Amino acid sequence: MIDWIAFDADDTLWKNEEYYLEGRDRFLKILLKYGLNAADIEKFDRFEVENIQYFGYGVMSFVLSMIEIGIEITEGKIQSADIQKLISLAKEMLSQEVEVFEGVTTLLETLSANFPLMLITKGDLLHQQRKFAASGLAQYFRAIEVVSDKSSAVYDGILNRYTIEPTRFLMIGNSLRSDILPVLELGGWALHLSDHPTWSHEDDPSEKNDQERYLGVKGISQILDKLVETGLLSQ
Amino acid sequence: MIDWIAFDADDTLWKNEEYYLEGRDRFLKILLKYGLNAADIEKFDRFEVENIQYFGYGVMSFVLSMIEIGIEITEGKIQSADIQKLISLAKEMLSQEVEVFEGVTTLLETLSANFPLMLITKGDLLHQQRKFAASGLAQYFRAIEVVSDKSSAVYDGILNRYTIEPTRFLMIGNSLRSDILPVLELGGWALHLSDHPTWSHEDDPSEKNDQERYLGVKGISQILDKLVETGLLSQ
């Protein structure tokens, strides 16, 4: 019933959001010195999303937005030593070890014996490639696609290039916005990991997922059973 | 004799280095206020290259390096308003219109009628894709590959994926380090545009190019004649 299975990477196969939350915490601690309130915090979140149009997704975008909002929020009072701390944070996040979630290796071993697997991930190109290499998971994947956005047009382009029928394609990921909805829109299968940590921007809980090809599980350990239950994988 | 022709993008098909030089000038003007000498300028160049390991190639990397060296060079005295100017510079560079070099469209029209063309470019993924779309040249290309580095291993990976024989592959570009030497190393053909503006890091004038498959011309207007002369293109 399916020819290819694709996986998202960040927060699907390995830890990611947690590092951003830690980074955000460090930023907020810095800002505390300059006087900060709840409205200021919200301002950063909005700013970060607005800056995606320029900087895209990833650590560099995150840190450039922190520097920019840090200057605005402190009315220019932020000290250069604090800005240096943010740049060091970027370097630290970009060199972070990759922590693969429990159960991922076994899952990929099983699935790669039955299907060609593809990684579809968005963000800084260099950083994503480096994490892929460092994860030790590259051996299970037939292809990797780093994209700047995960719209249905982008998925459509990938399916065309690999000549994959949408109805014979399954995407697995933690983000409704990026991994699930655009694939369902094309008529593909999508499996959502609902209990994985997810950046609020990537979640869209207002969307109903009553479509036939939507599968929902809590985490990695439930994927195989769900695929067998749906008939996508034979026991 | 060849099955595919690939082009570099920045400084090969469209203006690029000039924007970086302008950005660097604006940065140096900012630093003038804090007292600057020739050694400081050299420090920035070294810093930028050192930071590639974290930030890769592109505008965000360039500007993060300027902010970092700006803080170091001024011993923390750089004002946040000046740092904001650098972030605004990044946004400006990332939204810059694409200025295609003279003769490129005609050249691509002719070549795409004879060969499948590929774009192989490095830098910020989002920025490179946006420039490609904005250039109006996408119609001439069969494939685009945005890479984080242009080593011979990266070219080897691309040739494998497209099942292209190295000896039947021609790369055209302005950078000896990124477009020419790694392709020659694999046994491919490489055509160097020696008069195009090139970042010093990308040039490697010490290298001898006496290899059979190395072709050199000054600019875009001489490419067709050179290919005919070499027998790679029939008249």
Side-chain angles (χ1 to χ4, degrees), chain A residues 121-139:
Chain A
T121 178
K122 73 180 195 296
D124 296 327
L125 181 62
L126 177 62
H127 191 206
Q128 292 294 334
Q129 289 176 337
R130 191 184 287 153
K131 285 197 278 190
F132 184 55
S135 72
L137 302 174
Q139 58 185 306

Side-chain angles (χ1 to χ4, degrees), chain A residues 14 25 52 100 107 109 117 126 163 191 214 221 230:
Chain A
W14 53 66
D25 269 357
I52 288 171
V100 171
L107 172 69
E109 257 172 25
L117 305 184
L126 177 62
T163 56
L191 191 155
Y214 169 84
S221 67
T230 329

Side-chain angles (χ1 to χ4, degrees), chain B:
Chain B
M1 287 177 74
I2 39 176
D3 296 327
W4 277 82
I5 297 181
F7 279 88
D8 169 54
D10 290 340
D11 297 316
T12 291
L13 300 179
W14 53 66
K15 213 168 103 172
N16 174 66
E17 177 63 8
E18 218 170 289
Y19 302 127
Y20 280 84
L21 291 176
E22 279 170 29
R24 197 171 177 281
D25 270 357
R26 270 156 71 174
F27 177 54
L28 297 180
K29 274 196 191 101
I30 288 172
L31 289 185
L32 273 180
K33 292 194 284 184
Y34 303 94
L36 168 88
N37 59 46
D40 291 334
I41 299 178
E42 275 171 37
K43 225 173 179 178
F44 167 63
D45 294 340
R46 211 177 47 237
F47 225 72
E48 192 188 356
V49 170
E50 268 168 27
N51 272 342
I52 288 171
Q53 62 177 307
Y54 299 104
F55 304 138
Y57 293 90
V59 169
M60 291 192 287
S61 180
F62 178 62
V63 166
L64 282 165
S65 287
M66 290 200 297
I67 295 173
E68 193 168 22
I69 191 68
I71 293 170
E72 192 188 296
I73 234 170
T74 63
E75 293 170 337
K77 290 189 202 73
I78 190 167
Q79 291 159 12
S80 61
D82 286 328
I83 291 176
Q84 178 55 50
K85 276 184 202 155
L86 297 174
I87 295 183
S88 301
L89 169 69
K91 290 185 176 179
E92 207 180 294
M93 288 177 75
L94 290 167
S95 354
Q96 192 92 45
E97 276 187 30
V98 177
E99 201 175 315
V100 171
F101 289 136
E102 208 187 313
V104 163
T105 307
T106 319
L107 172 70
L108 295 179
E109 257 171 27
T110 306
L111 290 181
S112 65
N114 292 275
F115 303 96
L117 304 184
M118 191 190 298
L119 196 78
I120 305 180
T121 177
K122 75 179 193 295
D124 296 326
L125 181 61
L126 176 64
H127 191 206
Q128 292 295 334
Q129 290 177 336
R130 192 184 284 152
K131 286 196 278 190
F132 184 55
S135 71
L137 302 174
Q139 59 185 303
Y140 302 115
F141 288 90
R142 192 80 64 85
I144 168 173
E145 294 287 332
V146 184
V147 296
S148 56
D149 193 21
K150 284 177 157 180
S151 62
S152 60
V154 167
Y155 282 104
D156 196 39
I158 293 174
L159 294 179
N160 277 328
R161 261 188 294 123
Y162 289 83
T163 55
I164 306 170
E165 268 297 310
T167 57
R168 302 185 64 86
F169 174 75
L170 167 66
M171 178 74 194
I172 298 177
N174 68 301
S175 163
L176 286 172
R177 172 201 288 266
S178 296
D179 305 319
I180 307 305
L181 300 176
V183 172
L184 291 175
E185 195 188 317
L186 293 174
W189 294 83
L191 190 154
H192 183 224
L193 301 164
S194 61
D195 273 9
H196 281 215
T198 301
W199 179 27
S200 55
H201 173 66
E202 295 294 339
D203 241 339
D204 193 347
S206 69
E207 288 280 343
K208 294 272 179 300
N209 294 297
D210 49 7
Q211 298 190 43
E212 183 201 353
R213 296 198 178 87
Y214 168 85
L215 313 175
V217 301
K218 287 188 174 176
I220 292 290
S221 66
Q222 302 172 354
I223 293 179
L224 282 183
D225 282 351
K226 180 54 98 178
L227 294 182
V228 170
E229 179 196 307
T230 330
L232 295 180
L233 181 71
S234 46
Q235 231 152 358

Side-chain angles (χ1 to χ4, degrees), chain A residues 7 11-13 172-175 180 191-198 215-221 223:
Chain A
F7 278 87
D11 297 316
T12 291
L13 299 179
I172 298 177
N174 69 302
S175 163
I180 307 303
L191 191 155
H192 182 224
L193 301 165
S194 62
D195 273 10
H196 282 214
T198 301
L215 313 175
V217 301
K218 285 186 175 176
I220 292 290
S221 67
I223 292 179

